[in-house]
């Protein structure tokens, strides 16, 4: 039984593993952090938030200073889906954003007698782009002239 935990993560209760929802890649022990099974990109914040004013002329440019901020991107090593992003001070370890009681989660879903993949209906699906288009149809009938 797979339980959707975020848009991009399942917990497979039969194997007790984190799983990438888009591609099914195993990301490791669900009793630990899924982040350990991802590729981590330590990004220079100036790449994400470029300076608004000239850094040659001004000390403060509205761009995060890499001496005080780093951006970590966590991606599936198989399909490249970005699962999480966090802003941290340099040297700070990755945060642990989810810890689940796997036994209680299993019991909860067994007692409900429902398939969590059918009950929890958020996240990517085979028609994700089409589904998003239909959600927003009719909302763009105006002009910006």
């Amino acid at each position: 039984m797979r339980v959707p935990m975020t848009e991009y993560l399942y917990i497979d209760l039969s194997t007790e593993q984190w799983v990438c929802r888009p591609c099914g890649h195993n990301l490791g022990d669900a009793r630990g952090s899924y982040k350990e099974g991802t590729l981590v990109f330590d990004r220079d914040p100036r790449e994400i938030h470029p300076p608004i004013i000239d850094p040659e002329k001004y000390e403060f440019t509205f761009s995060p200073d890499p001496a005080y901020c780093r951006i970590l991107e966590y991606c599936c090593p198989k399909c490249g889906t970005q699962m999480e992003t966090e802003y941290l001070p340099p040297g700070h370890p990755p945060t642990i954003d989810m810890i689940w009681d796997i036994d209680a989660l299993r019991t909860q879903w067994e007692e409900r007698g429902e398939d969590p993949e059918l009950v929890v209906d958020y996240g990517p699906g085979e028609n994700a782009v089409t589904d998003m288009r239909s959600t927003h149809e009719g909302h763009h009938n105006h002009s910006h002239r």
Side-chain angles (χ1 to χ4, degrees), residues 45-65:
R46 296 170 296 190
E47 294 174 359
I48 309 297
H49 306 286
I52 294 174
I53 58 177
D54 187 353
E56 298 295 322
K57 294 181 182 178
Y58 302 100
E59 180 180 1
F60 302 106
T61 64
F62 299 99
S63 180
D65 184 338

Side-chain angles (χ1 to χ4, degrees), residues 46-144:
R46 296 170 296 190
E47 294 174 359
I48 309 297
H49 306 286
I52 294 174
I53 58 177
D54 187 353
E56 298 295 322
K57 294 181 182 178
Y58 302 100
E59 180 180 1
F60 302 106
T61 64
F62 299 99
S63 180
D65 184 338
Y68 295 96
C69 175
R70 68 182 182 154
I71 300 172
L72 298 181
E73 297 174 341
Y74 300 92
C75 300
C76 174
K78 182 176 179 187
C79 70
T81 296
Q82 186 174 328
M83 300 181 164
E84 181 63 67
T85 303
E86 61 187 357
Y87 290 63
L88 295 169
H92 193 285
T95 60
I96 298 173
D97 56 348
M98 291 191 280
I99 296 180
W100 294 95
D101 181 337
I102 302 301
D103 301 318
L105 191 62
R106 181 182 297 109
T107 300
Q108 172 194 358
W109 283 103
E110 287 172 354
E111 288 174 357
R112 288 178 82 170
E114 298 176 295
D115 181 347
E117 290 186 75
L118 299 176
V119 175
V120 182
D121 63 352
Y122 60 84
E126 65 182 50
N127 295 316
V129 172
T130 304
D131 293 345
M132 288 305 293
R133 281 191 194 130
S134 65
T135 300
H136 297 292
E137 274 181 12
H139 296 288
H140 303 289
N141 299 6
H142 59 281
S143 173
H144 290 278

Side-chain angles (χ1 to χ4, degrees), residues 24-44:
H25 183 72
N26 180 329
L27 296 167
D29 185 359
R31 293 183 187 269
S33 176
Y34 66 91
K35 292 177 182 177
E36 293 176 12
T38 64
L39 293 176
V40 182
F41 297 98
D42 191 346
R43 300 284 302 270
D44 183 330

